[in-house]
Amino acid sequence: MHPNSLLTIDSLRREEIIDLLNDAYCFSNLYKDWHLSTNGPIANLFFENSTRTHYSFASAELQLGLKVEDMYPEFSSLTKGESLYDTCKTFEAIGYKALVIRNKQDEYFKQLTNINIPIINAGDGCGNHPSQCLLDLYTILEHFHRIKGLKVAIIGDIAHSRVANSDYQALKMFGADVTFSGPEEFKREGFPFTNIDEAIKSSDVVMLLRIQFERLEGPMHISKEEYHQKFGLTKQRYEMMKENSIIMHPAPVNRGLEIDSDLVEASKSKIFRQMTNGVLVRKAIIKRAFNEKPFSEKNSDWSF
Ligand code: ASP
């Protein structure tokens, strides 16, 4: 595996995460127009649907001056049974310099250890989502200027969420107090659980997660209305949130289910801000993949 790959958040050292966040911050001001000295090319291989992750990677790649190719699995030799490994090896052989990959299989990247170009994981099944995690850290820092000591509640379909997994690893690493809430059937082993009202009242960050219907084995045993009342961010629960607290959600949002539709753009909501920050963070990840050193300027007032 290429050393500049990014597969899981816990494969990064704390200092490397700070460098990536700092580079992302530099891309918001001092280095807005900075681009790589190569034009790549880079390829985006999305074997699962995606709007934000796919197109914010594409936007980041174009802003960095890379030539970008998007592979559509249905028009590739995957339909003839070609493996993921042979597909990636082919991209390497024909001159691509890095790959951004999303796949529904947990830890699909374990099959790709003999690929010699950097691989950026854009989500593996219920496993990891390191770029989402970094943009979540960035969004929290932008508001609170620190992570240490913050109370974070992650609520919803924890069991199927790669975001819950990656965010938990990183938030713990930076000293946040993280708890989870939602239906029993969505609990994940080793993740601390709290009653939803308690979690919402006491948290600085309230992060809602989508029910991942595509990963459920059978139908939900609860109606949408009942789910919203029991486990969603209702208007009533919004009123219980702390004054300076924020709402996050990796999106796509099931409006009216995990969050009241009117709250998606409420004053506390950072949901669309997360998307904007995603481009900055993905620029930093790609810059690292192309072996560029972190920027030496540290111009944020964030404390770690
Ligand atoms: N966009 C996030 C992901 O790719 C969350 C979601 O799809 O619900 O994991």
Side-chain angles (χ1 to χ4, degrees):
M1 195 66 86
H2 192 285
N4 296 341
S5 294
L6 176 56
L7 306 174
T8 66
I9 201 75
D10 63 357
S11 65
L12 293 175
R13 285 177 293 108
R14 192 186 143 84
E15 292 66 35
E16 289 178 295
I17 296 180
I18 295 173
D19 282 341
L20 283 166
L21 293 167
N22 185 64
D23 276 8
Y25 186 81
C26 287
F27 280 129
S28 76
N29 49 69
L30 290 181
Y31 288 94
K32 249 192 179 88
D33 299 320
W34 187 92
H35 50 80
L36 289 160
S37 53
T38 166
N39 58 11
I42 188 165
N44 300 321
L45 280 54
F46 278 69
F47 300 94
E48 257 191 353
N49 293 344
S50 167
T51 300
R52 273 150 297 278
T53 306
H54 188 160
Y55 295 101
S56 67
F57 263 114
S59 174
E61 291 156 359
L62 293 169
Q63 288 181 38
L64 290 172
L66 293 172
K67 290 207 163 117
V68 180
E69 194 62 62
D70 292 291
M71 191 204 71
Y72 294 96
E74 61 274 34
F75 299 119
S76 73
S77 283
L78 285 149
T79 58
K80 302 176 194 161
E82 191 166 39
S83 68
L84 175 63
Y85 175 78
D86 284 340
T87 304
C88 293
K89 203 70 193 164
T90 302
F91 272 92
E92 179 186 328
I94 61 181
Y96 285 84
K97 299 292 184 273
L99 302 174
V100 176
I101 305 177
R102 167 172 290 192
N103 195 282
K104 67 174 185 302
Q105 193 187 335
D106 286 12
E107 300 188 321
Y108 67 81
F109 42 78
K110 289 199 165 153
Q111 314 155 39
L112 304 180
T113 45
N114 288 342
I115 303 293
N116 299 314
I117 52 176
I119 292 172
I120 298 169
N121 180 15
D124 60 290
C126 306
N128 304 274
H129 202 343
S131 67
Q132 176 74 44
C133 172
L134 289 168
L135 78 87
D136 287 343
L137 297 182
Y138 188 100
T139 305
I140 293 171
L141 285 162
E142 192 176 47
H143 186 78
F144 294 103
H145 308 265
R146 68 186 167 100
I147 295 172
K148 198 171 177 179
L150 292 178
K151 282 181 160 274
V152 181
I154 305 183
I155 303 168
D157 182 358
I158 314 300
H160 301 103
S161 175
R162 49 196 173 208
V163 179
N165 191 32
S166 289
D167 281 21
Y168 188 31
Q169 292 170 356
L171 287 165
K172 269 195 301 191
M173 190 193 294
F174 285 99
D177 177 1
V178 189
T179 194
F180 296 86
S181 200
E184 284 286 314
E185 61 188 289
F186 290 154
K187 274 191 172 173
R188 203 159 171 154
E189 225 189 293
F191 286 46
F193 249 66
T194 311
N195 162 283
I196 184 165
D197 292 326
E198 283 312 309
I200 286 182
K201 263 189 234 161
S202 59
S203 292
D204 301 293
V205 178
V206 173
M207 184 185 297
L208 289 316
L209 297 176
R210 181 178 69 94
I211 302 178
Q212 310 235 339
F213 289 105
E214 70 277 26
R215 295 186 219 280
L216 300 186
E217 272 158 24
M220 296 263 302
H221 301 296
I222 179 171
S223 71
K224 291 193 172 182
E225 182 48 35
E226 196 185 345
Y227 183 94
H228 182 61
Q229 289 308 326
K230 281 193 169 158
F231 307 111
L233 185 63
T234 57
K235 290 201 173 85
Q236 211 180 359
R237 291 199 175 101
Y238 183 74
E239 294 307 321
M240 290 163 27
M241 286 178 66
K242 281 165 72 172
E243 203 181 322
N244 190 31
S245 58
I246 59 171
I247 299 171
M248 295 173 65
H249 190 313
V253 176
N254 294 311
R255 284 177 180 253
L257 188 55
E258 64 268 2
I259 179 169
D260 184 291
S261 184
D262 293 343
L263 299 179
V264 174
E265 291 170 72
S267 56
K268 286 184 182 304
S269 173
K270 299 289 176 193
I271 298 174
F272 287 95
R273 187 71 193 167
Q274 285 172 268
M275 299 177 202
T276 305
N277 293 339
V279 178
L280 301 172
V281 155
R282 289 175 175 126
K283 283 172 82 169
I285 294 169
I286 296 161
K287 171 174 168 279
R288 174 180 176 274
F290 280 85
N291 211 25
E292 293 283 341
K293 296 265 160 302
F295 293 130
S296 53
E297 290 84 353
K298 310 277 177 235
N299 65 343
S300 75
D301 62 352
W302 300 343
S303 66
F304 290 98

